[in-house]
Amino acid sequence: MGRAFVYVILGGGVAAGYAALEFTKKGVSHGELCIISEEPVAPYERPALSKGFLLPEAPARLPAFHTCVGANEERLTPKWYKEHGIELILGTRVKSADVRRKTLLTATGETISYKFLIIATGARALRLEEFGVSGSDAENVCYLRDVADATRLVDVMQKSTDGNAVVIGGGYIGMECAASLVINKINVSMVFPEPHCMGRLFTPKIASYYEEFYKSKGINFVKGTVLSSFVFNAEGKVTGVNLKDGSYLPADLVVVGIGIRPNTSLFEGQLTLEKGGIKVNSRLQTSNTSVYAVGDVASFPVKTFGEIRRLEHVDAARKSARHAVSAIMEPEKTPEFDYLPFFYSRVFSLSWQFYGDNTGEAVYFGDFSGTSFGAYWVNKGQLVGSFLEGGSKEEYEAIANVTRVKPEIEDLSELERQGLGFAVAV
Ligand code: FDA
Ligand code: NAD
């Protein structure tokens, strides 16, 4: 059994949705393109799962957040794919790939061949078992990667009102889920090994602002330790967690957000990997010229840093996907991918944006006891990164712009004195 397509997108997440829209803009013909996804639904804006989806009132539900509404573009429903002659092969896992033969084999036994393949397999959540802790398949232990996970989390959350949650991990999932749990009237303790939250991005000073805000909402921080074991009742439900520091926390619900691994396994030994992802060039092309990789799974050259990076953020997924399609469909007209890293988050009444790189020395500005503040990072005499909490649209555009320009900075104290005004003036 087999089918042949000109273009195949493997994976049906954020990048797949944006790639599909770009294909139609570039003039793909009916029957030329298919998307194969393990998920049973058409591509959607994954960021909604830790935000609007978890709200107690008027929560976001599909079909409202199919791609590409997150970038204020068309919402691609299953009907849209049908009308554009794009085949959605959903609920179907690809179990092996042969890039030499240009074929994919699905778990249902179908062989799908392509002329061009875009790998958009994203990533999977790391499990506690990979750190030597067992029991995380209990009914009230939740991971969060896809709609099925989010639906389960909502179900467990609704059964835990006024109860206790333990959030394992102090990264993006930990921070966003902790806020959602509090909004759902659940008492939250956050447990993570680092000295402060968001260790990959925040400096201690920035982290302390968010931690104080979270504490004012009743969230309890347990830092510098990790889970050692779960405690179960007779029904196999988790009732608490033991920590390595010897303490115990009761739990009606546990949310685990301890990082991800890119889904590269189908291509290991066939394509070049770097930094945990599939290595691509500035056309998003892998070591096999018929195969492209985009989104969380791709390690691509970030021109402004002069090095290969793998990013795990939605803006990178959207833009790399569009760029790959353009490189395939209009190779002559497509310039090098020149991407400025952009991360953001929204929790409670807070909202921040970050552009560039958080290397070098941080220079702070604004009011850390108020509602708007930020930081620049200066590395080797150049401004390379900017962070802003509570900015206006124009202010966010200004920090994005100044980071893209990478101005030379001779005097850090002058930059500190000018603060946000420096970005606005560039
Ligand atoms: P994505 O994970 O979206 O999609 C991969 C797809 O491939 C999935 O549909 C999967 O089932 C499928 N797949 C994998 N292997 C397969 C196989 N063998 N066969 C078939 N299908 C297969 N970022 C940000 O910048 N701001 C934010 O606020 C958030 N918020 C956020 C919340 C939550 C809960 C998560 C989990 C993540 C975020 N992110 C984020 C990160 C962002 O969502 C992420 O960077 C993008 O979804 C990456 O898009 P991809 O398309 O690369 O992978
Ligand atoms: P993360 O990498 O942001 O954070 C992982 C956290 O896990 C670390 O901060 C650390 O505190 C903790 N940790 C690591 N090992 C641990 C252990 N053994 N025990 C306890 N804690 C441990 O990853 P995440 O929060 O799981 O997020 C998953 C993915 O989703 C990431 O790719 C992230 O970028 C993405 N995401 C992004 C956003 C956003 O951009 N706003 C929001 C949600 C999710």
Side-chain angles (χ1 to χ4, degrees), residues 255-274:
V255 178
V256 187
I258 56 171
I260 60 157
R261 279 292 173 275
N263 291 319
T264 56
S265 61
L266 292 173
F267 300 96
E268 280 163 26
Q270 301 192 71
L271 300 175
T272 306
L273 303 189
E274 194 171 319

Side-chain angles (χ1 to χ4, degrees), residues 198-207 305 343 352-365 368 373-388 399 402-403 406-407 409 412 415 422:
M198 293 288 291
R200 291 204 293 168
L201 182 64
F202 289 180
T203 64
K205 186 175 165 84
I206 296 175
F305 307 153
F343 314 155
W352 59 259
Q353 295 193 8
F354 168 83
Y355 294 88
D357 205 8
N358 60 334
T359 52
E361 202 167 330
V363 175
Y364 301 100
F365 57 81
F368 275 74
F373 63 88
Y376 300 118
W377 279 263
V378 177
N379 197 3
K380 299 187 185 114
Q382 269 188 315
L383 189 155
V384 296
S386 306
F387 177 94
L388 179 60
I399 63 156
V402 77
T403 315
K406 281 176 82 174
I409 304 293
L412 294 186
L415 179 65
F422 180 81

Side-chain angles (χ1 to χ4, degrees), residues 245-290:
D245 69 4
S247 56
Y248 168 83
L249 294 169
D252 299 290
L253 157 63
V254 177
V255 178
V256 187
I258 56 171
I260 60 157
R261 279 292 173 275
N263 291 319
T264 56
S265 61
L266 292 173
F267 300 96
E268 280 163 26
Q270 301 192 71
L271 300 175
T272 306
L273 303 189
E274 194 171 319
K275 294 194 170 161
I278 297 172
K279 187 182 179 186
V280 294
N281 62 19
S282 59
R283 311 179 59 75
L284 284 319
Q285 198 171 30
T286 69
S287 51
N288 179 302
T289 53
S290 307

